[in-house]
Amino acid sequence: MAVNIVEKVDDPVPIRHALVSVSDKQEIDFLVRDLVDLLPELTIYSTGGTFSKIREILGDRSEGRLVQVSDYTGQPETQGGLVKTLDFKIYLGLLTETYNEEHQQDLERTAGVPIDLVVVNLYPFRQTIQQAGVTLEKARANIDIGGPCMIRAAAKNYLRVAVLVDPRDYAPFLAALRQNQGSSRLEDRFRLAAKAFEHTAAYDRMIADYFARIRFPAASKCYSILHSDR
């Protein structure tokens, strides 16, 4: 398999496009308000409940700078939010390399944008399985798919993308943006990427450990087993 080996990166990178999709909305009002104050040209792409929360936070200021992901991709969210961000255009924006001409042509072809900042945290799997009497089905439904994919893509491309997975990092990140005139630095992006990979690794370990404890007879009691020709 051929891989791209990058030799040139920008440092710093101006933040112009941010993707925000969080289950834990702690401190999101603080982050969003300060981002908009610091970055007058910022466009925020968001989904579902996060989109509604940001629109509430920004009020009239959301006009022209807050975009529903489904409007950007041209694909409506699947019922229940099952598929929201798993889209070629999103991952093109996350993974494109600045000095790769073919990547830039792909962005132009799809009317895509390079995403410079990702703010994502994951469905509350730990909190779910700690509830008394929780069923396997409820645990299964709270396994995040799109979130880890976005986090991993952003972390892989720390060459130009900053990724925030922990509300405790919001204030230091904003302070660094102020210091660097609205741009992220490679050193910070690398550090945040390492934390992001640790975050997704711990999340997957938690899910794997939970499934390892469940025996199939107990699992099968969650469902009415149907026999169908479909």
Side-chain angles (χ1 to χ4, degrees), residues 15 31 116-120 150-177 183-200:
I15 304 291
L31 175 68
D116 313 301
L117 171 64
V118 169
V119 184
V120 172
M150 287 188 289
I151 290 170
R152 286 173 56 82
K156 177 180 179 178
N157 202 15
Y158 64 82
L159 308 175
R160 63 165 188 78
V161 183
V163 55
L164 295 171
V165 298
D166 185 347
R168 291 172 293 186
D169 289 323
Y170 295 173
F173 180 75
L174 289 165
L177 282 187
S183 296
S184 66
R185 299 302 302 260
L186 180 61
E187 180 179 1
D188 294 329
R189 296 194 301 271
F190 179 78
R191 176 180 54 80
L192 290 168
K195 184 168 186 175
F197 282 124
E198 178 61 34
H199 184 64
T200 57

Side-chain angles (χ1 to χ4, degrees), residues 12-190:
V13 172
I15 304 291
R16 297 191 177 97
H17 302 98
L19 177 59
V20 184
S21 182
V22 291
S23 291
D24 179 0
K25 296 177 176 57
Q26 179 185 183
E27 301 292 340
I28 196 66
D29 53 344
F30 157 71
L31 175 68
V32 166
R33 287 194 188 100
D34 277 30
L35 283 175
V36 168
D37 288 342
L38 279 167
L39 307 169
E41 297 182 3
L42 178 70
T43 301
I44 301 173
Y45 301 85
S46 193
T47 61
T50 307
F51 176 88
S52 299
K53 180 65 174 178
I54 295 174
R55 186 169 55 185
E56 175 188 320
I57 292 166
L58 294 179
D60 292 343
R61 300 173 75 195
S62 66
E63 191 66 32
R65 65 163 69 240
L66 177 61
V67 177
Q68 186 89 261
V69 162
S70 57
D71 291 336
Y72 172 65
T73 64
Q75 297 292 335
E77 293 183 9
T78 304
Q79 185 276 328
L82 188 65
V83 180
K84 295 183 285 192
T85 56
L86 292 168
D87 186 272
F88 179 83
K89 200 170 176 180
I90 292 292
Y91 287 88
L92 187 63
L94 292 173
L95 290 165
T96 48
E97 296 153 4
T98 304
Y99 295 99
N100 186 310
E101 291 185 7
E102 292 187 8
H103 290 183
Q104 300 312 308
Q105 290 168 8
D106 284 337
L107 283 174
E108 184 176 354
R109 173 178 59 82
T110 60
V113 299
I115 296 169
D116 313 301
L117 171 64
V118 169
V119 184
V120 172
N121 53 57
L122 306 176
Y123 288 0
F125 188 81
R126 182 186 299 278
Q127 296 91 318
T128 298
I129 62 174
Q130 288 176 341
Q131 295 171 6
V134 66
T135 64
L136 172 66
E137 174 54 21
K138 188 168 183 181
R140 183 199 69 84
N142 278 278
I143 295 174
D144 203 319
I145 302 300
C149 291
M150 287 188 289
I151 290 170
R152 286 173 56 82
K156 177 180 179 178
N157 202 15
Y158 64 82
L159 308 175
R160 63 165 188 78
V161 183
V163 55
L164 295 171
V165 298
D166 185 347
R168 291 172 293 186
D169 289 323
Y170 295 173
F173 180 75
L174 289 165
L177 282 187
R178 291 188 190 95
Q179 185 176 351
N180 296 297
Q181 292 75 52
S183 296
S184 66
R185 299 302 302 260
L186 180 61
E187 180 179 1
D188 294 329
R189 296 194 301 271
F190 179 78

